[in-house]
Amino acid sequence: MLQRLFKPLKGKIDLVLLNACYSSTQAIEISKFDTYVVGYNLPIGDAAAIQFAQGLYSGLGEGKALDQAFNDAMIVLMTQSPAYAPMVEVWKDGEKLDW
């Protein structure tokens, strides 16, 4: 199903945020369509997921590059909900990135 959904979007979207627990498997598949995908490899608390998303979207809204906005989001998460920081993963072309 993910292939049917994301194959027509290849080259049209840059980022997908799967703001849900255990989403790394889906992130891997979606990232194969030339898209950066952020997902979580374990359960993440609602507040932490919201904090991460706010940090990411704030950085992007300020015109920062994706890796810089991701760094901003991680700083927010590490200061407000540090236990959840190791659960965040970024994928591109089916490979986990080391950001």
Side-chain angles (χ1 to χ4, degrees), residues 48-66:
I50 292 167
Q51 292 159 359
F52 178 83
Q54 287 174 331
L56 182 68
Y57 291 132
S58 291
L60 292 172
E62 292 170 8
K64 293 182 179 179
L66 179 56

Side-chain angles (χ1 to χ4, degrees), residues 55-77:
L56 182 68
Y57 291 132
S58 291
L60 292 172
E62 292 170 8
K64 293 182 179 179
L66 179 56
D67 61 334
Q68 294 170 331
F70 179 83
N71 189 59
D72 287 357
M74 289 302 294
I75 290 169
V76 170
L77 193 57

Side-chain angles (χ1 to χ4, degrees), residues 11-68:
K12 296 180 182 177
I13 56 174
D14 296 320
L15 171 68
V16 173
L17 172 59
L18 299 174
N19 212 9
C21 303
Y22 299 112
S23 56
S24 59
T25 302
Q26 292 86 357
I28 295 167
E29 292 305 311
I30 295 168
S31 75
K32 293 177 182 176
F33 296 100
D34 196 32
T35 301
Y36 288 95
V37 184
V38 177
Y40 306 114
N41 58 16
L42 293 169
I44 187 163
D46 291 344
I50 292 167
Q51 292 159 359
F52 178 83
Q54 287 174 331
L56 182 68
Y57 291 132
S58 291
L60 292 172
E62 292 170 8
K64 293 182 179 179
L66 179 56
D67 61 334
Q68 294 170 331

